[in-house]
Amino acid sequence: MISVQFGIFPLVGLTVAALLYAVYHFALRLKCSAAQSVTYIFCAVLAITLVTFVSLNRTVDPIQSNVNATVSPTPSTTNPVVSSATIPADKPITADASNLKVGDDDNTLTTITTFLHDVTPWLIWVYLCGILMILVNLLLQLRWYVNERRQCTIIANDSDATIYTTNAGAPFSFGRSIFIPTTLDEHIRPYVLDHERCHIRHAHFRKLCLMQVLLAANWYNPFVWLFFHEMKLQQECEVDHDILSNGTNRMDYQMSLLKVCIGNNNWRLIQSSFGTKDIKERILFMNKQTSKRKMRLRVSMALCTMAIIIGGVAAFACQTNTIEKRHPLEGCWVMDFTRPASSAEEYYPPFRQYAFYNHDTFFTPHFSYRNGVMFRFGFSGEEVKLRNDTLVNAHGEPLVYRFVNENTFQSDWKKMKNDVSLVTTEVVTDQWSKTSVPDDIIRVFLAALEADQHHEKSLDGVWKEEGTSDDNYLLCNDTLAMAICYVPNADKSIYRFSGGGYSGIVKYGQETVLEIDIDPRMDGTIQVSFVDSDHIILDCKASNDIGSSHLTRVPMPPHIKRMLSTVKDTRGVNN
């Protein structure tokens, strides 16, 4: 599905303007009739303005996972299942996480994003100030025109124009007013009047005003300024053609132009002037003989090229601005309450529970405590698919949810035998509201996701516990660590999981003995000893000491990466 996106795309506007001006300069300029050139210029400037403020998006179906699985209709709440090597202390802890980092890539992206976020408002103000200056200049020109009419003397008035005398050095026209210098040679006066009347007949004043409005919207684009200059030149050429077509002596008319030619370099952009600095090009064009058939062919080819350029830009935008089709559930949600189905008795959870929905998975961590980047949590999750705008499981069964409003939904789910929740009935109703996740939680989950991508410190990477059937992992990225017990569903054909774990701060002292800070108030640390670069031993130093665990360095398991990616993919969806 193709959708329209409104915004400011200056680089696209500059690129298209450069291409269209090149087509004009090499194919049309002084090579076809002025009327045809004016048509092309207007179409080009309108096209530049369009691509500068409007782009196309292509909405596509999200990439589905290759895992053949099924899901329960709605999120479930489970107790954390934590291995003997990952049980932390039970009380909240404090830590100064201001100097912690997630990774170089994320830091670079954050720095760039922050810079653009800080600079963008200033750039917008500069752009708006430029527009304001051009429009104020237009108003000042109109005001000067009105004042000039008041001060000048009318010497003739008919249905076509009002003629004034002026002290200016050259004749010119504004709107339906023609200004004739008092010192103008009487022999030149008829040519001047015919010339300026043609400007009025072609409505050149209104066209120049419109062009200056378009120029205001594209003031930063040098090619639009060039097009504006060419518009004025082509208007003069159009009038010259009309004058000579009426049987005026070519030699006399051209000599009159030369006599009045004084440059006329002033700030009034929307006036038409009998003598201009482009007089040489105008005379050369008047004496040039060009086949009408060739002119029509040039214009047709130029317009076709313009259409191809605009079509190419639109196609490129659709490829680069590809947006995955989103379901209303995609994003981050927090549980408001849970209750027995068809009951008004609400139970408020004693912990904070989140639900992260992306295009193929939802992940629901619940935090029994949290302080900065150190927290204990349990989680559950499963696979989902977007099919025909409906979120379904692997068997095509739609998820059961009801939107109270766009930021709140309720869901009904059937409890499993191993589910332990606040209500005792078989069917449970949850209510969830959209929310923004605390930055500390985001940082830790992203650090865990990128654990195997960074190797600055000796503990960086993914570690798995040896000698146990449980999937116990430690994921470390520089100064942050996450230990989790990942429990997949017993039915391997069903992509559903649960588990629990904690996060902490890695303290680097000696190269071979490190500590992971869990609860400093209760000596809640995990000591890390290196056997070699790929094997470590964890010793829990909390009050409930449970011994040692041996871990081996492993690649990031795809199912854990998929689970953690759910948090990354939904970051910012609610904003």
Side-chain angles (χ1 to χ4, degrees), residues 177-190:
S177 302
I178 300 174
F179 297 86
I180 304 296
T182 54
T183 58
L184 185 65
D185 191 333
E186 291 294 329
H187 176 70
I188 298 176
R189 185 184 294 266

Side-chain angles (χ1 to χ4, degrees), residues 27-28 31-33 36 288-302:
L28 300 181
K31 297 180 179 68
C32 61
S33 71
Q36 292 169 332
K288 188 175 183 178
Q289 299 295 326
T290 306
S291 167
K292 292 184 178 180
R293 179 175 174 276
K294 289 183 178 180
M295 289 192 294
R296 287 195 297 266
L297 181 61
R298 283 180 176 275
V299 173
S300 299
M301 292 179 63

Side-chain angles (χ1 to χ4, degrees), residues 203 218 382 396:
N218 300 275
E382 47 209 0

